[in-house]
Amino acid sequence: MFLGLDVLSSQLSSWKDKALFTPGPLTTSRTVKQAMLRDLGSRDAEFINIVKDVRQRLVTLGSDSDDYTSILMQGSGTFGIEATLSSVIPSDGKLLILINGAYGKRLLKIANIHHIPATELTFAENTQPDIQVLEQALQSDSAITHVAAIHCETTTGIINPIEEYGKIVKAHKCVYIVDAMSSFGAYPVDMKACGIDFLISSSNKNIEGVPGFSFVLAHKEALLAAKGLARTLSLDLFAQWEGLEGDGQFRFTPPTHSILAFHQALIELEQEGGVVARGARYKKNYEATLSAMQEMGFQAYLKPEDQGYIITSFYYPEHPNFNFQQFYERLSDKGHVIYPGKLTRADCFRVGHIGRLGLADVKALGSAIAKTLIEMNIHISEKNEE
Amino acid sequence: MFLGLDVLSSQLSSWKDKALFTPGPLTTSRTVKQAMLRDLGSRDAEFINIVKDVRQRLVTLGSDSDDYTSILMQGSGTFGIEATLSSVIPSDGKLLILINGAYGKRLLKIANIHHIPATELTFAENTQPDIQVLEQALQSDSAITHVAAIHCETTTGIINPIEEYGKIVKAHKCVYIVDAMSSFGAYPVDMKACGIDFLISSSNKNIEGVPGFSFVLAHKEALLAAKGLARTLSLDLFAQWEGLEGDGQFRFTPPTHSILAFHQALIELEQEGGVVARGARYKKNYEATLSAMQEMGFQAYLKPEDQGYIITSFYYPEHPNFNFQQFYERLSDKGHVIYPGKLTRADCFRVGHIGRLGLADVKALGSAIAKTLIEMNIHISEKNEE
């Protein structure tokens, strides 16, 4: 008797998890997940000490100066972004947002819902926000008090020059907020050199933890200025920091297991050689992916000089048989999860390069894609048609 | 060579986790934690199906009617409460809050920060909010559109009569919001019989999952009326529901591992015999705890008829040697975590009865407390002094 494909596929998943070529949640190490096999009291000394160590390690990843601190915030990365915007901009402030993708737009959406005066500079999704335009905007509008930028815009995978923006932002004495969700832990960042006052990322990105919270690295002086400004209770960044600094506890129940996993992930990041070594591994994943995809005839959406090694957008192949949902499912059934596109003007899908994945996984993905193209009877380049 | 106590204690913790006699995070089953040893793509079919099953099981725990739905919300229980209050009360609405403890006060704090018109009826912490007073308030203030009550006020462990409040709330055609954080899953609740429109609880309470998200059971009609009312992006209850109902996905990264654990926890709740059987186990824990504590001379804060079987507040013993911090640490070093008090007018500590704990654990706690009292040279009753 033969089992149906559905049954086989669900049995497969109980053997081995699929490789996640996504922007997160990611494939994590076995030991990171095993760190969750414990129940700790959230107000007990052992957990408090772990939180303290996590916060200290995060600060060190962003700066070697005592001027910075870190805050953990329950929820996804967006919760951390909303916590920051809704907690640090006073009602008489004004936020300028650099936009070249969906995550920049999300900042604007958050500002709007909280009635935070905001203005935007929007650029094409395949273009870095222009430094001259930023400078002109700050010169012509002295009401602007805060500037927000995205480091790696996950919409496309483009890397924006946050250090160059920072120099201009600081020259105009504005507070500088950077959404480093997809870049932190894989691209070295120096908070001081970049002039960053608030940097936001999350537990399930390049640190290779599991989802459950976001974190904010903050310049202490800028954070102290945020006291009493929050527009919500749960997402009050200053109050959260005050609690963590006070008795070391969260104000509200922390995701204890996710934090245990993250602590282990930070140790493993150090063991791998820190941010530089991790970035190098991801870059190899990216290069191998790009080369395999180009070999098969796929085209990347971005120019190579703008493209980061976090995630890459590929155009849908121009072939009548191509159907993304089918392509996705066939790859997923083979054990490889890719990611849909998020572009407004081009049909793309995305392949992530981050998480506990290496060249063997990339090679397996390439083979699965080649096989899937054959199954779907898609020929996208002369190379494949020869 | 002898190891110091600190070292021994930290070695102990690596053998076996402490028993958590707290209101959560709780001691969970081995199998619930093991369910987290997987990395699933948050937009992949397997995870989407698990979320669907979790949501359906939650609805069934609150009602057998199709009129109800459920929403999962990232963050702790307070995030779910804030999501509800800030998403379902229009700017021309008015909220009445029944308060007899810290969690009732928190509702008021949330309403205030969102500028939601709110009024309160505050009662002593050892007293259930009075039904007559509620009725009079609704009769005398026709501007009130929403009423919020706490089921188990974790401050003391008191159980408030939410069904009786509900009858009055519904007679006045108000929307009824119940914070069932500490009671749901251990006290049977019938959403329809109680007239509840929104009920909030969290993953790390009586379902015995790990922390990471809250959930809301909602009357569909009341939820549909909340469209566009949200005051935040992340905590928009309606938009979250719309996403889950649409493509089955979270709007923003879900805590995938916590949800896998919760799914397993829901299956184990069913295996134990559902809410009634679980409540019965907790009640036995409570009775055994109370009896052991009274035997040692401790006094419960509440009258037995008001006391629930979730958590019990005990007065500090009147003895010059008693110091809560020391008492707590000595118990923690012996492998038992209790909880500090939260009362405004009485010195109490709390002992929880929930989580994957049974009579053997309660007995071990009793022995540890007896031993600790001897170590601290505390004699609190004639019984102990005979």
Side-chain angles (χ1 to χ4, degrees):
Chain A
M1 196 182 136
F2 292 94
L3 293 167
L5 260 181
D6 277 2
V7 177
L8 274 174
S9 155
S10 90
Q11 283 191 335
L12 254 176
S13 74
S14 65
W15 297 345
K16 184 171 184 281
D17 281 333
K18 297 169 185 175
L20 303 179
F21 294 92
T22 66
L26 304 169
T27 297
T28 66
S29 75
R30 181 176 45 79
T31 37
V32 160
K33 289 187 281 289
Q34 283 172 344
M36 294 190 283
L37 293 175
R38 302 192 60 196
D39 294 311
L40 291 189
S42 56
R43 308 197 185 279
D44 206 37
E46 186 178 1
F47 183 70
I48 288 173
N49 286 333
I50 287 170
V51 169
K52 195 176 166 187
D53 192 52
V54 162
R55 291 182 58 221
Q56 188 49 51
R57 283 173 183 267
L58 283 175
V59 171
T60 311
L61 290 179
S63 174
D64 54 9
S65 153
D66 280 346
D67 295 341
Y68 299 89
T69 184
S70 68
I71 305 118
L72 311 184
M73 179 61 74
Q74 296 95 326
S76 76
T78 300
F79 286 61
I81 300 277
E82 183 158 13
T84 304
L85 296 189
S86 67
S87 296
V88 311
I89 306 172
S91 54
D92 59 352
K94 184 172 181 181
L95 174 66
L96 170 69
I97 306 170
L98 299 175
I99 300 178
N100 62 337
Y103 292 90
K105 282 184 199 151
R106 187 176 290 173
L107 298 182
L108 184 63
K109 203 170 174 183
I110 291 171
N112 288 341
I113 203 163
H114 289 283
H115 309 291
I116 295 167
T119 182
E120 55 178 304
L121 294 172
T122 297
F123 300 83
E125 288 169 330
N126 59 357
T127 312
Q128 294 171 340
D130 191 290
I131 295 160
Q132 310 297 332
V133 178
L134 167 64
E135 176 134 47
Q136 284 158 18
L138 289 175
Q139 266 164 5
S140 66
D141 187 352
S142 64
I144 294 167
T145 54
H146 292 66
V147 176
I150 310 277
H151 192 193
C152 173
E153 178 50 85
T154 317
T155 309
T156 56
I158 198 169
I159 299 289
N160 295 322
I162 52 166
E163 183 161 355
E164 298 177 47
Y165 302 149
K167 288 190 180 20
I168 296 164
V169 173
K170 285 294 129 184
H172 287 83
K173 300 194 188 317
C174 291
V175 173
Y176 187 29
I177 300 166
V178 172
D179 173 343
M181 200 63 67
S182 292
S183 62
F184 190 76
Y187 279 86
V189 62
D190 180 334
M191 296 276 290
K192 187 160 261 175
C194 295
I196 302 171
D197 295 291
F198 298 97
L199 176 149
I200 306 107
S201 185
S202 98
S203 59
N204 61 287
K205 295 286 189 177
N206 306 320
I207 312 287
E208 298 187 356
V210 307
F213 62 98
S214 59
F215 56 85
V216 181
L217 301 197
H219 192 278
K220 283 179 192 167
E221 212 176 287
L223 182 63
L224 286 168
K227 183 174 182 172
L229 297 183
R231 292 159 177 85
T232 73
L233 178 70
S234 307
L235 302 174
D236 184 337
L237 197 68
F238 178 83
Q240 186 89 340
W241 175 76
E242 208 175 32
L244 291 169
E245 286 288 305
D247 57 10
Q249 299 181 14
F250 279 71
R251 297 174 302 151
F252 312 123
T253 306
T256 40
H257 299 73
S258 300
I259 290 172
L260 288 173
F262 193 67
H263 188 235
Q264 176 63 24
L266 282 164
I267 292 168
E268 293 181 15
L269 173 65
E270 191 184 356
Q271 286 167 347
E272 187 172 347
V275 173
V276 172
R278 178 147 303 174
R281 172 162 63 85
Y282 290 173
K283 194 169 181 215
K284 279 184 193 162
N285 287 348
Y286 156 66
E287 287 165 349
T289 303
L290 184 68
S291 144
M293 294 296 279
Q294 286 175 336
E295 185 79 10
M296 287 183 275
F298 287 96
Q299 280 183 22
Y301 172 74
L302 291 177
K303 286 175 291 180
E305 61 267 33
D306 295 330
Q307 175 68 55
Y309 46 76
I310 302 298
I311 191 166
T312 303
S313 294
F314 292 98
Y315 285 107
Y316 284 1
E318 286 185 23
H319 191 283
N321 286 358
F322 186 81
N323 168 297
F324 175 70
Q325 193 54 33
Q326 214 187 105
F327 182 67
Y328 172 91
E329 281 168 15
R330 283 174 181 273
L331 284 174
S332 178
D333 286 345
K334 293 180 181 69
H336 312 272
V337 176
I338 62 167
Y339 215 63
K342 205 171 186 158
L343 288 161
T344 44
R345 299 186 183 194
D347 277 338
C348 284
F349 61 87
R350 288 175 285 176
V351 180
H353 315 299
I354 61 181
R356 186 83 2 173
L357 298 171
L359 292 178
D361 302 289
V362 173
K363 197 172 172 187
L365 171 68
S367 305
I369 291 178
K371 202 174 163 200
T372 299
L373 292 175
I374 292 167
E375 288 168 6
M376 294 175 74
N377 206 15
I378 296 170
H379 312 276
I380 45 176
S381 72
E382 286 181 22
K383 212 161 237 156
N384 282 330
E385 285 168 347
E386 68 190 3
Chain B
M1 196 181 134
F2 292 94
L3 292 168
L5 261 179
D6 276 4
V7 177
L8 274 175
S9 154
S10 90
Q11 283 191 337
L12 254 175
S13 76
S14 65
W15 297 345
K16 184 170 186 282
D17 281 334
K18 296 170 186 174
L20 303 179
F21 294 93
T22 65
L26 303 171
T27 297
T28 66
S29 75
R30 180 176 46 78
T31 37
V32 161
K33 289 186 282 287
Q34 284 172 345
M36 294 190 284
L37 294 175
R38 302 192 60 195
D39 294 312
L40 292 189
S42 56
R43 307 195 186 282
D44 206 36
E46 186 179 1
F47 182 70
I48 289 173
N49 286 333
I50 287 171
V51 169
K52 196 176 166 187
D53 192 51
V54 162
R55 290 181 59 220
Q56 188 50 52
R57 284 172 182 269
L58 283 175
V59 170
T60 310
L61 290 180
S63 175
D64 55 7
S65 153
D66 281 346
D67 295 341
Y68 299 88
T69 185
S70 69
I71 306 119
L72 311 185
M73 178 61 73
Q74 296 96 326
S76 75
T78 300
F79 286 60
I81 301 276
E82 184 158 11
T84 305
L85 295 189
S86 67
S87 295
V88 311
I89 306 172
S91 53
D92 60 351
K94 185 172 180 182
L95 175 66
L96 171 67
I97 306 170
L98 299 175
I99 299 178
N100 63 337
Y103 293 90
K105 282 184 199 151
R106 189 176 287 173
L107 299 182
L108 184 63
K109 202 170 175 183
I110 291 170
N112 288 341
I113 203 164
H114 289 283
H115 310 292
I116 295 167
T119 183
E120 55 177 305
L121 294 173
T122 297
F123 299 83
E125 288 170 331
N126 59 357
T127 311
Q128 294 171 340
D130 190 289
I131 296 161
Q132 311 297 331
V133 178
L134 168 64
E135 176 133 49
Q136 283 159 18
L138 290 175
Q139 267 165 4
S140 66
D141 187 352
S142 63
I144 295 168
T145 53
H146 292 66
V147 176
I150 311 277
H151 192 194
C152 173
E153 176 52 82
T154 317
T155 309
T156 55
I158 199 169
I159 299 289
N160 295 321
I162 52 166
E163 184 161 354
E164 299 177 48
Y165 302 148
K167 289 190 181 17
I168 296 165
V169 173
K170 284 294 128 183
H172 287 84
K173 301 194 189 316
C174 291
V175 173
Y176 188 28
I177 301 167
V178 172
D179 172 343
M181 200 62 68
S182 292
S183 62
F184 190 76
Y187 280 86
V189 62
D190 180 333
M191 297 277 290
K192 187 161 261 174
C194 296
I196 302 171
D197 295 292
F198 298 98
L199 176 149
I200 307 107
S201 184
S202 98
S203 59
N204 61 286
K205 296 285 190 177
N206 306 318
I207 312 288
E208 298 187 356
V210 307
F213 62 97
S214 58
F215 56 86
V216 181
L217 301 198
H219 192 278
K220 282 179 191 166
E221 213 177 287
L223 182 63
L224 286 168
K227 183 173 182 173
L229 297 183
R231 291 159 177 87
T232 73
L233 178 70
S234 307
L235 302 174
D236 184 335
L237 197 69
F238 178 83
Q240 186 89 338
W241 175 76
E242 207 174 33
L244 291 168
E245 286 289 305
D247 57 10
Q249 299 181 15
F250 279 70
R251 296 174 302 153
F252 312 123
T253 306
T256 41
H257 299 73
S258 300
I259 290 171
L260 288 174
F262 193 67
H263 187 236
Q264 176 63 23
L266 282 164
I267 292 167
E268 294 181 14
L269 173 65
E270 192 184 355
Q271 286 167 346
E272 187 172 347
V275 173
V276 171
R278 178 146 302 174
R281 173 162 61 85
Y282 290 174
K283 196 171 179 213
K284 279 185 194 163
N285 288 347
Y286 155 65
E287 287 165 349
T289 303
L290 185 68
S291 143
M293 293 297 279
Q294 286 175 336
E295 184 78 13
M296 288 183 275
F298 286 96
Q299 280 183 22
Y301 171 74
L302 291 177
K303 287 175 290 180
E305 62 268 32
D306 295 331
Q307 175 70 55
Y309 46 77
I310 302 300
I311 192 166
T312 302
S313 294
F314 291 99
Y315 284 106
Y316 284 2
E318 285 185 24
H319 191 283
N321 286 358
F322 186 82
N323 168 297
F324 176 70
Q325 194 54 34
Q326 214 186 103
F327 181 68
Y328 172 91
E329 282 168 13
R330 283 175 180 272
L331 283 174
S332 177
D333 286 345
K334 293 180 182 67
H336 311 273
V337 176
I338 61 166
Y339 215 62
K342 206 171 185 158
L343 288 161
T344 44
R345 298 189 185 192
D347 278 338
C348 284
F349 61 86
R350 288 175 287 177
V351 180
H353 315 299
I354 61 180
R356 187 76 11 167
L357 298 172
L359 292 179
D361 302 290
V362 173
K363 197 173 171 187
L365 172 67
S367 306
I369 290 178
K371 202 174 164 200
T372 299
L373 291 176
I374 291 167
E375 287 168 7
M376 294 175 75
N377 205 16
I378 296 171
H379 311 276
I380 45 175
S381 71
E382 286 180 21
K383 212 162 235 151
N384 282 328
E385 286 168 347
E386 67 189 3

